[in-house]
Amino acid sequence: MRALLDHPRFWLFAPFVGLMCLCLVAFGFWHMAASRITDQLAANGLSWQQLTRHGFPARITLQMQAPRYRNKDFLWQIDKASATLMPFNHGHAVFDFTGTHRLSTDDGRLTLAHQGNLMSLVRDANGLLRASFDVQAPRINAGTNSIDRRVSAAHATLHLRRAEAESNTEPRLDVALTARDLRLNAPQAARPIERIDVTLNVPRHVMQQKLGSGDRVKLQRMTLQRGALTLIARGTVRLAEDGFVAGRLDLDLVNRQALLDALVEWRLIRPEARRQTELLIGLASAFGGDTQDRLSLPLSFKGGRIFLGPIELAAAPRWRGAR
C-alpha cells in the first residue's frame, strides 16, 4: 500500500477516482429519492403507461406518458405530463402538462384544452399547503347526458391555500381564481367578461373527493367587469339534499342596461322578456332606495330555481343528477 501511495502517478489520478466515487454515491442517493417519489405517486392513485427519470444531479424530472389518476369519485387523464422536484426537497413540485385534460365522473364529463399550462404544488407533513395553476387560452367543455356548457378565456390562474385552522370547524381551503376575456356559452362575437376575480372558501376534502350534501361554499368576494357593467358579489351557497344549489348571494351592480345586455347574451332571460325584467328590476331598486345606475339585489337559489331579486331567471345549478 505504501508503494502505491509513493507511486509518482498515484496523486495524478487519485482526485479523479475520488470524484468518480462521489458521483456514484450521489447518483445512488438521487436514484433512491426518484424511486421513492415514484412509489409515492403510485400509492396515491397516479398511474402511467411509461415513466422516465431525468435531471441528475440538480433536480429530479419524471416524464410520464398517458398519466391518469383515479379515485372513487372521478378519473383524470392527459396525454403527457412532467414533474420536476429538487432531490432533497420533495415538498415542492412543478408540473407541466401536454394535451387536453379529461375528467370523468358518474354525473358528467369535463375537458380542458389549452395553449400551455403549469402547476406548482407545495406540501408539508399535514398535506397540501398551497398550489398554483396557470393556463393560457383555456377552453372548458363540461356537461352531462342532457346539458353542455362551454367556457373559454384568454388567460386564467387558480391558487389554493390551506386555510387557517378554526376551532370546532371543518378543515377548509382558500381559493382564488382570476380570468381575462372570459366567455360563457356565448358566440365568439359576443362581448367577453374582460376580467373576473373570485375568492372562495371551500371544504378541504374537495381535493380528494367531490362535494356532497350539506357542504358549504363561501363566496368571500367576486368582482366582474364587462364593458360598462361592474358586479360585486358575496354570500354562501350549500349543496342541498334535493340535488340543487341553495343559498343567497348579495350583488352590488353598476349600470342596469349593461346588466340586461349580459343576461340576454348569457341566455338567462329571453330577448322578448328584457322589457319586463327591466321594469321588475326598476321596481325592486325603487323600494330598496337605489339609484338608476347603481343597485343592490339578492341572487337567490331556492326550490331548484334562480331568482334575481323578485325575478325568476332559470333553473338552479344541479350538483347531483336527478334520482
Side-chain angles (χ1 to χ4, degrees), residues 20-21 33 40 60 88 93 101 107 116 120 132 142-143 145 159 168 207 224 232 243 254 267 279 282 284 293 309 319:
M20 183 179 298
C21 292
Q40 289 175 346
I60 298 173
F88 304 105
H101 298 264
D107 299 324
S120 173
S132 297
N145 293 331
H159 301 283
N168 300 322
M207 299 300 297
L224 179 152
I232 298 174
V254 176
R267 303 172 190 171
L279 291 173
D293 287 331
W319 67 270

Side-chain angles (χ1 to χ4, degrees), residues 16 35 48 57 60 87 91 96 114 125 133 139 161 167 169 179 215 227 238 252-253 256 267 271 280 298 303 307:
F16 300 100
S35 298
W48 47 82
I60 298 173
D96 187 9
H114 56 86
F133 188 42
R139 300 180 304 281
R161 183 186 64 184
S167 59
T169 60
D215 284 334
R238 62 181 177 83
D252 294 316
L253 304 163
R256 186 180 309 173
R267 303 172 190 171
L280 290 172
F307 296 86

Side-chain angles (χ1 to χ4, degrees), residues 38-305:
T38 303
D39 293 341
Q40 289 175 346
L41 291 174
N44 288 324
L46 187 66
S47 61
W48 47 82
Q49 289 185 358
Q50 182 181 354
L51 183 141
T52 56
R53 305 181 181 101
H54 307 282
F56 176 80
R59 63 186 183 275
I60 298 173
T61 298
L62 306 177
Q63 298 279 356
M64 292 171 276
Q65 298 287 336
R68 54 192 290 159
Y69 173 78
R70 180 189 292 276
N71 66 16
K72 65 185 183 65
D73 289 322
F74 63 84
L75 169 67
W76 167 84
Q77 302 175 84
I78 200 168
D79 298 336
K80 297 179 182 179
S82 68
T84 300
L85 306 91
M86 297 299 104
F88 304 105
N89 180 17
H90 305 163
H92 183 203
V94 176
F95 292 83
D96 187 9
F97 302 100
T98 302
T100 298
H101 298 264
R102 302 180 297 278
L103 186 69
S104 304
T105 70
D106 293 337
D107 299 324
R109 63 197 180 280
L110 181 147
T111 62
L112 168 60
H114 56 86
Q115 294 180 7
N117 63 153
L118 285 174
M119 176 184 288
S120 173
L121 296 176
V122 178
R123 294 175 55 89
D124 61 13
N126 296 319
L128 179 68
L129 181 61
R130 63 181 181 272
S132 297
F133 188 42
D134 187 279
V135 192
Q136 295 290 337
R139 300 180 304 281
I140 297 175
N141 283 278
T144 62
N145 293 331
S146 58
I147 300 175
D148 286 301
R149 295 286 184 265
R150 298 181 303 279
V151 179
S152 64
H155 179 253
T157 57
L158 175 67
H159 301 283
L160 306 175
R161 183 186 64 184
R162 189 167 64 215
E164 294 295 330
E166 300 178 6
S167 59
N168 300 322
T169 60
E170 62 180 343
R172 298 184 69 84
L173 281 175
D174 291 326
V175 181
L177 171 68
T178 299
R180 292 187 295 103
D181 293 338
L182 183 69
R183 298 178 186 273
L184 306 172
N185 274 347
Q188 199 66 21
R191 181 163 198 158
I193 298 171
E194 281 88 2
R195 184 178 179 90
I196 184 169
D197 297 280
V198 182
T199 55
L200 302 167
N201 183 265
V202 301
R204 195 183 302 173
H205 64 247
V206 73
M207 299 300 297
Q208 287 83 33
Q209 64 188 51
K210 60 185 179 182
L211 296 175
S213 178
D215 284 334
R216 294 172 296 110
V217 176
K218 299 179 181 178
L219 179 60
Q220 296 166 329
R221 182 183 176 94
M222 180 186 77
T223 303
L224 179 152
Q225 295 178 332
R226 181 183 186 270
L229 172 65
T230 299
L231 183 151
I232 298 174
R234 299 179 180 87
T236 301
V237 297
R238 62 181 177 83
L239 307 188
E241 181 61 32
D242 61 6
F244 289 97
V245 172
R248 166 176 163 152
L249 303 178
D250 294 318
L251 308 183
D252 294 316
L253 304 163
V254 176
N255 198 306
R256 186 180 309 173
Q257 294 300 320
L259 170 64
L260 293 167
D261 292 340
L263 292 177
V264 171
E265 286 192 15
W266 297 340
R267 303 172 190 171
L268 293 175
I269 62 172
R270 298 186 304 274
E272 58 270 20
R274 176 185 175 122
R275 179 60 179 168
Q276 179 185 4
T277 303
E278 182 176 6
L279 291 173
L280 290 172
I281 290 178
L283 183 61
S285 62
F287 280 111
D290 297 311
T291 64
Q292 180 69 19
D293 287 331
R294 296 176 179 269
L295 64 153
S296 299
L297 288 172
L299 183 68
S300 304
F301 304 86
K302 54 186 178 182
R305 308 297 295 176

